[in-house]
Every structure is written in structure tokens, then in C-alpha cells.
Amino acid sequence: MTVRDGAEAGTSGGAELMDGIYRWQRHVYDATRKYYLLGRDRLIDELAPPPGGTVLELGCGTARNLVLAARRHPQARFFGIDISEQMLESARGSIRRAGLEGRVHVAQGDATAFDTEALFGASRFDRVFFSYSLSMIPPWREALMAGAGALAPGGGVHLVDFGMMEAWPGLMRAPFRAWLAAFHVTPRAELGEALAACAAAVGGKASFRRLHGGYAVIGDLKAGVARS
């Protein structure tokens, strides 16, 4: 959940900000986030990449999702991009301990302007996913479009993130949002509409669901089969 473009200060500024936030947090990140980053395992189960397929996560953080996804879908190869070198240090350790260096690869990059051909030798992916990263990327619409643009024909984008908590009492919603803001996290009210717009741009269709009274949202985009 750490790819951030750093719109105000440039990409290097975004990397410095995220490295500052996660320099120490990365050591306890997975243990603490599992209690409130809901829907991640559901997203991983629904990836369903084809045999021999490729999967890209934008905002891979500690590689928790990539390792779990690689175990869940042993027929595919997995790639991850994150702006924070601190988080990638943890990611590489996790991948190494899991014995998945041959199938899971990570690199530093920007969610809105990445060159996966240069980073990984792959330019198109059967699946691209965002797990609680779009709420941390200032130009999140551009990141979502970049992810859709990296799809192979018939590929899909999957996302899970914080929702607007529509069914929650304001006395609970307001403090929780303030706490998220302290970590540079902003739920995106227009995420469903943006996903639909991306689907239209790639000749596909989108679905969008709210979980737990809007605490989280999960979305899917399937690209058309005729991609350039």
C-alpha cells in the first residue's frame, strides 16, 4: 500500500516521504495491517490468472500479497512495483524466505509512469491489481489508467481499498478517516466511476462492490480481447 507518486514534490520526493513513513513500520506492517485491510485475501483468490500467466501488483509493499498470490496460483508469475525502497527491502526478504525468487520479482517504480519491459522484461500482464494503494496515490486516476494500460488482451484489473463507510455512524467514520489521513491515506469517493471509465477506455466492462457497510470496496475490470 505504498506506491505514491509525490505529485507535490516529484517522484523522488514521494519516495523519500514513503521511505520516511515505512523505515520502521515495515518491520511490523504485515502483523498490524491484517486487522483492518479487509478484502485482500478475497481479491487474491479472485485473480485466477491463466496457466503461464503474468500478474502485476502496483504498490506491492512488503510483498505479502505477492507471496500469498504466488502460493495460491502456482501456475503464474508475479511482479510488483513500489516507490519505497524501504518496503522493497522487506519484500525481497519475504520472497527469499518463501523460496519464490524464481516466480516473484519486485522493483522500484512509480505507479503512474513505469516501464515494466525495462524492469522485468514484460510489457503486458494478464492481471494487474491494487491492494489499498490507490488511497495513497495523489494522482490515483492516472495510476488506475496506467494499470489498465498494462493489460494483455482479455486481461483484468482487480482492486480493493477503503470505502466511504456509508453505513457507518458519523461518530465512528470521522475519527477513522482522521486516523487514515495521518498516514496519508484518502478513500476515493469516485473510485467506482473511475474504474468504469477505465473499462470503457480499454473496451471492457467493470464491476464494483461495497464490503462491510462500505468500510472497503472491491472492483474488477475486464479488458476487451482486441487490444493494440
Side-chain angles (χ1 to χ4, degrees), residues 140-166:
W140 62 274
R141 294 176 186 273
E142 290 85 344
L144 185 57
M145 187 61 76
L151 289 176
V157 170
H158 300 258
L159 64 88
V160 63
D161 216 314
F162 291 109
M164 302 308 295
M165 302 177 70
E166 295 91 342

Side-chain angles (χ1 to χ4, degrees), residues 200-226:
V202 297
K205 58 183 179 180
S207 65
F208 193 73
R209 295 159 284 167
R210 291 174 174 81
L211 307 177
H212 312 297
Y215 175 90
V217 293
I218 190 164
D220 308 280
L221 177 163
K222 183 173 177 59
V225 296

Side-chain angles (χ1 to χ4, degrees), residues 50-68:
T54 53
V55 180
L56 172 68
E57 181 179 12
L58 293 175
C60 64
T62 63
R64 179 264 186 196
N65 296 325
L66 290 172
V67 168
L68 186 60

Side-chain angles (χ1 to χ4, degrees), residues 10 24-25 37 57 150 176 218 221:
W24 305 113
Q25 284 193 43
L37 298 187
E57 181 179 12
F176 185 70
I218 190 164
L221 177 163

Side-chain angles (χ1 to χ4, degrees), residues 76-92:
R77 293 179 296 143
F78 293 83
F79 304 88
I81 292 174
D82 203 283
I83 201 69
S84 171
E85 186 58 42
Q86 289 289 325
M87 289 296 261
L88 288 173
E89 184 176 338
S90 290
R92 295 182 185 105

Side-chain angles (χ1 to χ4, degrees), residues 34 37-47 64-65 68 72-73 131-132 160 218:
K34 68 181 180 180
L37 298 187
L38 307 181
R40 294 183 298 171
D41 293 352
R42 177 174 176 175
L43 178 149
I44 289 169
D45 285 342
E46 293 179 356
L47 286 174
R64 179 264 186 196
N65 296 325
L68 186 60
R72 175 67 178 81
H73 307 288
S131 176
Y132 287 92
V160 63
I218 190 164

